[in-house]
């Protein structure tokens, strides 16, 4: 079955260029112009990934992303931002809004298609993996439902945060450099930088640590990277 990609972009020419290239890349694509009740339309479409322009006539892309993360139907899907300015990139990377990736205009449609494919590949765990839960200390990660709990309380994670946390849970006590994490978690996406790892770590800490600036689980390995530690009593 073809993966469904929602493209929220108000510039008609750019939208049809993207639509054309995604169709050639083997995706089913639907364009939303951002002028109407986009979040309801996205919920009805149930896409596998959203390409989201920042500057839109109605709610802007950041606001829409927040609504996507609050939506039961859409919360887990990857959101790839289209940004025109570098200060927008900073906000996307800030990740309070829950974006997974960004691409700056002007961009090559081929690159966009490649990134979308990379994100969708990361979403597809094997059958055996999908049926397993990871349980460690206070944490339970339900792969089938793509949900994470800490002491029975659900933690809200974006798809990239989920993947990163899944990796840490599967490899406790091991120190990972930023480059190793990029390779293991982000895979073949070439646009990410070590700073990408840091902002995702910060976001994860805000979710799981009692005191994010003094982490007990996701600790910094000075001059190297990060280690996930769980004392199992
Ligand atoms: Ca726009």
């Amino acid at each position: 079955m073809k993966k469904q990609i929602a493209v929220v972009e108000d510039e008609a020419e750019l939208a049809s260029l993207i639509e054309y290239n995604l169709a050639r890349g083997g995706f089913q694509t639907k364009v939303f112009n951002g002028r109407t009740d986009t979040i309801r339309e996205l919920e009805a479409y149930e896409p596998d990934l959203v390409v989201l322009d920042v500057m839109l006539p109605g709610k802007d892309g950041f606001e829409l992303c927040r609504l996507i993360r609050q939506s039961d139907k859409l919360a887990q899907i990857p959101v790839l931002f289209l940004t025109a300015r570098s200060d927008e990139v900073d906000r996307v990377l800030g990740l309070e809004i829950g974006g997974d990736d960004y691409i700056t205009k002007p961009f090559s449609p081929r690159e966009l298609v490649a990134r979308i494919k990379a994100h969708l590949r990361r979403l597809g765990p094997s059958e055996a993996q999908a049926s397993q839960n990871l349980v460690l200390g206070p944490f339970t990660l339900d792969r089938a439902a793509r949900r994470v709990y800490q002491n029975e309380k659900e933690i809200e994670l974006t798809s990239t945060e989920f993947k990163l946390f899944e990796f840490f849970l599967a490899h406790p006590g091991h120190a990972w450099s930023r480059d190793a994490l990029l390779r293991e978690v982000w895979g073949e996406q070439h646009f990410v930088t070590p700073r990408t790892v840091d902002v995702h770590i910060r976001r994860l800490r805000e979710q799981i640590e009692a005191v994010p600036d003094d982490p007990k689980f996701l600790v910094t390995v000075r001059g190297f990277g990060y280690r996930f530690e769980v004392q199992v009593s």
Side-chain angles (χ1 to χ4, degrees):
M1 213 179 83
K2 284 188 178 179
K3 295 286 186 185
Q4 303 192 150
I5 311 295
V7 177
V8 186
E9 170 58 73
D10 59 309
E11 290 158 57
E13 272 183 35
L14 180 57
S16 54
L17 177 74
I18 294 172
E19 189 176 26
Y20 171 77
N21 281 279
L22 292 186
R24 281 187 59 193
F27 297 111
Q28 197 193 98
T29 308
K30 191 165 179 181
V31 171
F32 302 85
N33 63 19
R35 288 184 174 80
T36 47
D37 192 356
T38 309
I39 193 74
R40 296 287 156 261
E41 292 169 355
L42 289 174
E43 282 180 335
Y45 183 52
E46 295 194 51
D48 296 293
L49 182 146
V50 179
V51 176
L52 186 54
D53 186 27
V54 173
M55 295 295 286
L56 292 165
K59 290 185 172 67
D60 73 11
F62 298 126
E63 182 58 27
L64 274 178
C65 188
R66 273 188 210 100
L67 294 174
I68 286 170
R69 292 298 172 233
Q70 289 162 11
S71 159
D72 287 343
K73 282 188 174 166
L74 304 171
Q76 304 294 329
I77 62 170
V79 173
L80 195 159
F81 274 104
L82 300 178
T83 70
R85 306 193 314 259
S86 57
D87 55 331
E88 292 172 351
V89 170
D90 285 343
R91 289 188 65 191
V92 173
L93 281 177
L95 289 177
E96 287 81 8
I97 47 169
D100 294 289
D101 192 7
Y102 69 91
I103 189 164
T104 47
K105 297 178 182 179
F107 54 86
S108 93
R110 252 182 76 190
E111 189 188 3
L112 178 66
V113 170
R115 287 198 195 181
I116 287 172
K117 285 186 173 167
H119 275 280
L120 293 175
R121 249 196 311 275
R122 288 189 302 117
L123 282 183
S126 72
E127 292 274 316
Q129 268 190 331
S131 63
Q132 278 176 355
N133 285 358
L134 277 173
V135 181
L136 192 66
F139 301 104
T140 302
L141 181 144
D142 181 341
R143 282 178 163 138
R146 297 189 70 78
R147 303 178 99 158
V148 179
Y149 302 88
Q150 182 173 13
N151 298 320
E152 272 86 61
K153 184 176 170 289
E154 183 164 8
I155 310 168
E156 304 284 343
L157 301 177
T158 68
S159 57
T160 300
E161 289 159 11
F162 181 92
K163 182 89 179 157
L164 182 62
F165 194 58
E166 182 181 27
F167 183 78
F168 276 121
L169 269 188
H171 303 90
H174 189 121
W176 298 94
S177 69
R178 289 171 182 80
D179 285 341
L181 289 170
L182 284 175
R183 205 166 51 239
E184 297 287 339
V185 177
W186 277 262
E188 57 203 282
Q189 303 173 54
H190 303 298
F191 50 90
V192 288
T193 67
R195 192 177 155 231
T196 311
V197 176
D198 295 337
V199 292
H200 280 84
I201 294 279
R202 195 180 68 214
R203 247 294 279 186
L204 266 183
R205 281 174 172 163
E206 283 165 3
Q207 301 285 322
I208 66 171
E209 302 284 356
V211 185
D213 288 336
D214 183 21
K216 298 285 180 269
F217 300 113
L218 249 177
V219 301
T220 299
V221 182
R222 209 167 283 276
F224 185 72
Y226 297 100
R227 184 174 61 232
F228 185 65
E229 290 184 342
V230 173
Q231 306 297 331
V232 183
S233 50

